[in-house]
Amino acid sequence: MRSSESPVQLSLLDARHAPAGDGDVESVELMTDGGAIACRLHDAPTGGDAAVLWAFGAGGGFHGPAGGLYDRLADQIAPDGVASLQVAYRRPAELVPCVLDVLVAIDYVARRGRTRVVLVGHSFGGAVVITTGAVSAAVIAVAALSSQTAGTAAVDQIAPRPLFLAHGTADEVLPDRCSRDIHARAAEPKRLILYPGCRHGLDACRDALDADLLAWLRTVTHSPARA
């Protein structure tokens, strides 16, 4: 643990798998002592030890940014041996329960041999992944997209692990000063990309975001130390 503010424990009891009906994606229910967490697993060839966990906004569910960014990048990193798990919160918009859900997801992928974890979150999910990264030693890097500032007080504890921040300059929900503030409080290594004219959902900068985030993910998942 990297913080004195470690949240209450939530225990993983079992995992139930079922085909999701779209290619190699599986629906997974993580059964815990606090209820079930719905997930989508994009598995990868065996032999790799890295996984990316994708977290959503305050609305919960599997509705991510940039028109399916999480699915697109999960498909692209799978051939590199990197698995992906999308996490739908039990109690969306509640920071501590959502952090607990992601911690359980980290435990789940670790049991599958994925002990090096990158966290990616959008909007409210940015705060979730920053807080989770601050308390989990399994996390090797964190990316927060269009992030809010509430719940990001521990961002300085991400270092020396890499931090990636992205925000649209025309964000109508959370202004880009949110990511600029997080960046100012974070320690190196850190990167902030501002996309001119892009709104909160990052749809207008989809291609640029895909390229930037994919390159960063490939760097951090293939580096055992700093990126």
Side-chain angles (χ1 to χ4, degrees), residues 1-21:
M1 293 296 181
R2 298 175 181 266
S3 171
S4 60
E5 300 178 358
S6 176
V8 178
Q9 293 292 319
L10 183 69
S11 297
L12 175 61
L13 305 177
D14 194 12
R16 300 175 182 172
H17 294 244

Side-chain angles (χ1 to χ4, degrees), residues 13-213:
L13 305 177
D14 194 12
R16 300 175 182 172
H17 294 244
D22 49 352
D24 296 329
V25 181
E26 289 184 84
S27 293
V28 181
E29 274 194 316
L30 303 182
M31 312 308 295
T32 77
D33 49 2
I37 305 167
C39 299
R40 285 168 54 89
L41 174 66
H42 301 242
D43 213 349
T46 58
D49 65 351
V52 178
L53 269 56
W54 310 86
F56 297 87
F62 294 108
H63 306 293
L69 171 73
Y70 293 177
D71 288 318
R72 288 194 305 277
L73 295 197
D75 287 341
Q76 292 188 67
I77 61 177
D80 300 335
V82 180
S84 286
L85 188 73
Q86 298 180 31
V87 183
Y89 316 121
R90 293 169 302 135
R91 291 158 58 183
E94 297 183 40
L95 182 63
V96 170
C98 293
V99 168
L100 291 173
D101 291 349
V102 177
L103 287 170
V104 166
I106 291 172
D107 184 17
Y108 164 75
V109 297
R111 296 185 190 190
R112 296 174 63 88
R114 306 285 174 169
T115 55
R116 300 168 59 245
V117 175
V118 180
L119 303 179
V120 181
H122 175 251
S123 191
F124 165 79
V128 173
V129 298
I130 287 171
T131 301
T132 307
V135 300
S136 174
V139 174
I140 61 170
V142 174
L145 317 175
S146 304
S147 183
Q148 66 183 42
T149 53
T152 65
V155 70
D156 61 325
Q157 297 178 49
I158 300 300
R161 299 162 295 171
L163 174 68
F164 178 99
L165 300 167
H167 219 114
T169 62
D171 193 319
E172 76 286 9
V173 177
L174 296 165
D176 62 32
R177 67 173 176 269
C178 293
S179 284
R180 289 190 279 110
D181 174 75
I182 295 168
H183 183 264
R185 290 184 284 111
E188 296 287 355
K190 57 184 178 179
R191 183 181 184 190
L192 169 63
I193 301 177
L194 298 177
Y195 295 104
C198 206
R199 292 162 63 90
H200 187 65
L202 301 169
D203 295 295
C205 50
R206 165 178 165 167
D207 291 344
L209 176 60
D210 277 17
D212 292 334
L213 184 55

